[in-house]
Structure formats: C-alpha cells, structure tokens
Amino acid sequence: MRRGIWATLDLDPTTDRSAIRKAYAARLKAMDVDADPDGFATLREARDAALAGVETVAEAEPAFEPAPASPEPVEADPDPEIAAFYDTIGDHFRALDALLLPGHKGPLTPMEQVAVGNHGRALLADSSLERVDFADGAERWFAEILAASIPRSDPLLETAAAAFGWIERRNDYTLSAEALAIVERIGAKRFARMLDDPKHRLHHAWLELHRRDGQPELFWNPKGPRREVLSLIRSRFPMLESSLQPRRVADADDPSSRAIGIPVWVILLALVTGLRIFFSGTDDRQPPPPPPLHVPGPAAEAPTTAPTPDVVVRSDIDRYVSGLTHAPDVLIRDITEWELMVMRYYAPFDPAQCVDSGVFRHDPKLSMIWDQKRRELVGRLISSAQDESLRPPSSRFVIRGEMVAAVRQSSGMNRADFNRSFDKEAPIVDQCKVMIALRETALARPKQGNKLLRQLQLSMFGE
C-alpha cells in the first residue's frame, strides 16, 4: 500500500529518479495549481524528498525498510546519466524550475520570458550534452518539464526541439509523448504566427474568429475563409480552437447564418442612399468648367538626345541554369539542405508552401536570417555561371530503381501513391512528404544523389 510521499506521487517506493520525475509530471498535469496551492506545495515536497532519498515519513511506511548499512557504504544510482545532469545544471535548473512549474497566474512577463530563454539556453549549451548517455537523461527531463508547463514554457520550446531534433523525429515511434506534445504545440504556434501576418489570405478570417463582443466587425467578412481556418485547426492543431471566441465559431459553423459577411447596417445604408438618388430628380445646375490646361510650347520641350545603344543582358534564368550546370557538388548540396530546412518548417502546418519552397523564390514569411542564407547561396550560384548559350534543360529526370525504393521506404508510401505524388495528382501532404524524402535520400547517397540533386534543380527551369 502506498503511503506518505509515495501516495502523494502515486508511485511505488523506488530509487529510480526517472520514474519519480515522470510520476511528478503526471500528477502535476492532473492538478489545478491555482485552485490547490497547498496540494502543489505538498507534491513538490514529496518529489524533492523522493529525489534526495530522504525518508521523512519512515514511521508511516513500516513495509519499506531501508537496507542495512554495509561496512563500506557505496552510493548507488540506477540512473547515472540523470544524476550527472542534476549535478551539472545547478542554479540554472532551479531557476528554470521555479519559473515554469509553480502556480503562476497569467502569461510570462517580458522579464520572465528573457529569464526562461537565458536559463534554458545555458542548460542546452552544456558540453556534457555531447555525450550520448548524458544527453538521453537531459532530453527526458526537458521533455517532461516543458510539456508539463505549457504555455509558460513556450519561449523555450523551439530551442529545445532544435537541440534534440524532436521535429525531425516526430514520426519516430520511440519519441516520448511529452516530446510529441511539444512538437504539436510548436506547429500550432507557427500556424498562428502565419495567420497573424496581414498579407496572409486567411488573416481577416483569423481576426474575425478572435473578435470579442463589442469590437467592430469587418466590412467584408465571408464565411468560407472562416470555415477553412476552422477546418485546418480541427484537423491539424485542435489545441488552438480553445483560443477562439465561441460565438464566432458557432456563427461560422451555423449553415443558416449569412455567408457573405456584410453587416446589416451597410446593406440598409446602401439601400437608403440608392432610394434618395432615385427620387432626387434631375438638377439643372451644371458643374463648373475644368481649369485651363497649360501645355508648354516647343521652346519649353526638353532637347532631344542621341538614342542609347541596346545592351544585351542575360536573363536571371539563363544565369541560374548556367550556374546549376557548373556549380560544384558541395554548392548543390548546400542549396538542397537549405530547401530541406524550409520544407520541414512548413510541412506540419502548410504543405502547399512546403512543395512551392525553393532557393530561387523569395518568401516574405521566412526569417531574415533564412533569407540572408538564401541570398548567399544564389550569389554563389551566379558566380559559377559562365558566359555561354545553353539549351533549356528538361523538366523531367530519371530516378534509378534502387533510389526509388529508398525514397519510398523513407516516405512510407506505396508505389501508386508515390507515382501520383510525382505527377502532382496526390494530396498536397503526400507531395510534400515525397519531396522531402527525395532530397533526404539523395543527400544520404552522394555517389548517386549528387547528380540527381543537380537534375532536380535544373528541372525547375525545364520545358
């Protein structure tokens, strides 16, 4: 029977630090910290006592007797990599734990956001993370504490996911449930940032779904885009629906509500204005004549100059084709790795943008650092171009059988869906998946893949 700190943690007596941490995270998720601050304090004390191996409730646990002391005491820890991690992180661990897990009310303040980022990056920059055994324990701890403290841990989610490769491994069945929850949260936050951009076609629908009662309604507010946003949220990021205004969601879901989205007062105003114009009759008054237009005479005209000779300038496409033809393999691989980075970024929430991504296309939604890298790669490519006349490349290229098998295995698709993806007949999600798998496979097999990557780039300018 569990008693004392073990009953608080809902865990059998153990010296496994990993099991103690997991039990603590599970109990914390099920607890309303704001409503039960005393219970939260008791849970923290139980966790600390269990981790320290202190039997503060020995009288209440007669069935759990400590081992007899040996002549030469030996300190044992069944999870040494986590113990080493706790010994190393010190003040940063305690500060981050205090910022994220206690029952704070409201979002992080600006100063707390900076503090969370600083302490988290300091922990992730520890050189011990290069050791596999140490990194495994650190990864489990980060996944547990960050998942348990969402949304306060939002400033650190992207950094931790990049450090441990959680986004790239999101389809790996060995990835923990906590890490998967963090990946889903990152995808939802990215999707929200994308819709916050005023240039996005669904931006106004996104604003309308967040509009509170009393705020002015948009002049043009069709229901179609709002339903599209709701469909994307419900199919990919269901956690975002809780941030929407229930009245706006119900209005978008209601088939009987108006679909055009023009406020009623606008329709009435237009109707009254039209009637007034119709019944106003004719007006004999003529508008005043326009002011005279002064045209300069021949003396005021600018003197003619000699015609400028024609200058033949090679188009950007010719430069790109020549550069791709003569660029070294390392540059082609660098371009492919940049495209993979962008494709993986868009894949969870905007597969259409994933398919359309390319180093030759400026994307205003990407960060300045990513676009600067893109410009650098295009500049290196242009410097490889030669002054020559090349025939347009072909838009089709050949993938050898063993490479096809490797790409199919990486994407997890059958032959029919795989072929439809190349013909752009499959769903856009499958097309994105195949394009990523093709680049990943070619990069992993440079002997065959370098030529394929060059053909893949040239095919974008083919006929």
Side-chain angles (χ1 to χ4, degrees), residues 31-90:
M31 177 182 294
D32 187 344
V33 177
D34 293 334
D36 189 13
D38 294 336
F40 173 72
T42 302
L43 180 63
R44 287 285 302 274
E45 291 172 0
R47 180 202 63 179
D48 294 340
L51 289 174
V54 178
E55 298 295 335
T56 57
V57 288
E59 296 81 6
E61 297 180 80
F64 184 63
E65 297 292 340
S70 60
E72 296 181 359
V74 179
E75 204 172 310
D77 192 334
D79 206 353
E81 69 272 14
I82 296 184
F85 181 61
Y86 294 149
D87 293 339
T88 302
I89 55 184

Side-chain angles (χ1 to χ4, degrees), residues 365-381:
K365 293 190 289 292
L366 295 180
S367 69
M368 186 180 301
I369 296 177
W370 287 14
D371 191 63
Q372 184 178 358
K373 180 64 175 178
R374 181 191 71 83
R375 293 170 184 266
E376 175 192 340
L377 292 170
V378 173
R380 288 169 56 191
L381 187 74

Side-chain angles (χ1 to χ4, degrees), residues 210-382:
H210 282 85
R211 182 172 61 86
R212 298 179 179 274
D213 292 339
Q215 292 180 332
E217 185 176 357
L218 298 174
F219 176 78
W220 178 255
N221 184 24
K223 183 180 292 187
R226 282 180 283 157
R227 286 177 172 170
E228 184 177 353
V229 171
L230 282 176
S231 176
L232 289 171
I233 289 176
R234 289 165 175 169
S235 62
R236 296 179 177 275
F237 313 107
M239 66 178 66
L240 285 179
E241 187 164 357
S242 61
S243 68
L244 306 178
Q245 290 296 313
R247 290 172 61 90
R248 309 295 167 243
V249 174
D251 177 68
D253 287 334
D254 185 5
S256 63
S257 62
R258 53 192 170 88
I260 297 179
I262 301 178
V264 175
W265 67 268
V266 175
I267 300 176
L268 293 176
L269 179 61
L271 180 61
V272 171
T273 303
L275 291 174
R276 290 185 61 183
I277 293 175
F278 179 79
F279 290 108
S280 62
T282 59
D283 193 345
D284 295 334
R285 292 176 297 177
Q286 298 295 328
L293 178 64
H294 298 283
V295 180
E301 295 179 355
T304 58
T305 57
T308 304
D310 293 336
V311 178
V312 179
V313 180
R314 186 171 49 199
S315 69
D316 286 341
I317 293 180
D318 290 338
R319 288 179 182 272
Y320 295 156
V321 171
S322 179
L324 289 170
T325 302
H326 300 287
D329 288 341
V330 65
L331 177 54
I332 300 297
R333 295 176 67 84
D334 287 346
I335 291 174
T336 303
E337 289 177 353
W338 184 93
E339 291 179 345
L340 262 178
M341 176 180 65
V342 177
M343 288 179 171
R344 289 167 180 160
Y345 169 77
Y346 279 120
F349 61 93
D350 194 354
Q353 190 67 33
C354 161
V355 173
D356 291 338
S357 297
V359 75
F360 302 104
R361 186 179 297 108
H362 171 64
D363 186 349
K365 293 190 289 292
L366 295 180
S367 69
M368 186 180 301
I369 296 177
W370 287 14
D371 191 63
Q372 184 178 358
K373 180 64 175 178
R374 181 191 71 83
R375 293 170 184 266
E376 175 192 340
L377 292 170
V378 173
R380 288 169 56 191
L381 187 74
I382 292 177

Side-chain angles (χ1 to χ4, degrees), residues 121 124 146 153-168 182-183 185-191 193 345 349 370:
R121 284 190 291 271
L124 292 169
L146 295 182
S153 58
D154 281 348
L156 199 55
L157 298 185
E158 294 263 7
T159 305
F164 297 113
W166 289 334
I167 296 178
E168 291 78 6
I182 291 171
V183 171
R185 177 71 177 180
I186 291 173
K189 297 291 288 183
R190 288 178 176 179
F191 179 72
R193 286 199 300 269
Y345 169 77
F349 61 93
W370 287 14

